[in-house]
Amino acid sequence: MEIIDGRQFLFCRVDRGEDLLKSIIKAIEDTKLSTGVVVSGVGSLLKARIHMVSSNDFPPKDDFLDFEGPLEIVSLQGIIADGQPHLHISIVNRDFKSFSGHLEEGCLILSICEVAIAKVDDPKVTRTVFPGTKVGKLIRLSS
């Protein structure tokens, strides 16, 4: 992985065989990014692991899904709050079937992935959970 750290953006190049989520977390840690927005992510995957909600309950139940490549990343976006990413990914296979969900560890890069992260100085945000759940909600950090 290579990180290109600019004033307003981080650009991350994630290389073959690297785990996409682990690489993004490492870039966040290495640059000490607290708040940001993943605005773009494009590339290809050897395999993918995502989760999506599978019920209308609250908190909802999650289904974890695994896919074998080759897969194309058509979209990657999300919010980084207090250094913690919440990211969603859309992928497509060779049969042009698309799948979307919450990015999980286990998405391994096929050739390359390029990720752009906008840095946010103000406001700083974090997540707390709804009472009795593990469901996070975004709140502003006090100064």
Side-chain angles (χ1 to χ4, degrees):
M1 176 184 62
E2 181 177 347
I3 302 167
I4 302 167
D5 191 355
R7 282 193 357 223
Q8 296 177 330
F9 284 89
L10 288 179
F11 296 97
C12 305
R13 186 197 73 232
V14 188
D15 297 318
R16 181 174 174 82
E18 294 180 322
D19 185 286
L20 180 55
L21 181 57
K22 287 180 181 179
S23 296
I24 292 170
I25 291 170
K26 183 174 183 346
I28 292 166
E29 292 170 350
D30 288 356
T31 60
K32 298 177 177 45
L33 180 64
S34 174
T35 302
V37 179
V38 175
V39 294
S40 178
V42 294
S44 57
L45 297 171
L46 291 163
K47 62 182 188 172
R49 181 167 176 81
I50 63 174
H51 89 257
M52 56 188 305
V53 295
S54 62
S55 74
N56 284 326
D57 301 328
F58 190 78
K61 294 179 177 69
D62 290 323
D63 276 346
F64 288 81
L65 307 166
D66 294 288
F67 303 95
E68 291 298 320
L71 302 161
E72 222 26 70
I73 299 169
V74 258
S75 178
L76 175 68
Q77 68 272 331
I79 295 174
I80 299 162
D82 205 13
Q84 299 299 311
H86 177 194
L87 306 175
H88 286 227
I89 189 168
S90 292
I91 55 178
V92 64
N93 67 15
R94 290 181 59 188
D95 296 323
F96 300 101
K97 290 184 181 176
S98 61
F99 308 94
S100 301
H102 186 96
L103 180 67
E104 293 290 337
E105 289 183 9
C107 291
L108 301 182
I109 302 303
L110 172 61
S111 57
I112 198 167
C113 181
E114 297 170 333
V115 180
I117 303 171
K119 298 177 180 181
V120 177
D121 291 326
D122 185 50
K124 297 290 185 196
V125 294
T126 190
R127 286 188 188 84
T128 61
V129 295
F130 287 96
T133 75
K134 294 181 181 178
V135 177
K137 60 180 176 178
L138 205 59
I139 62 167
R140 184 184 195 120
L141 273 174
S142 326
S143 298

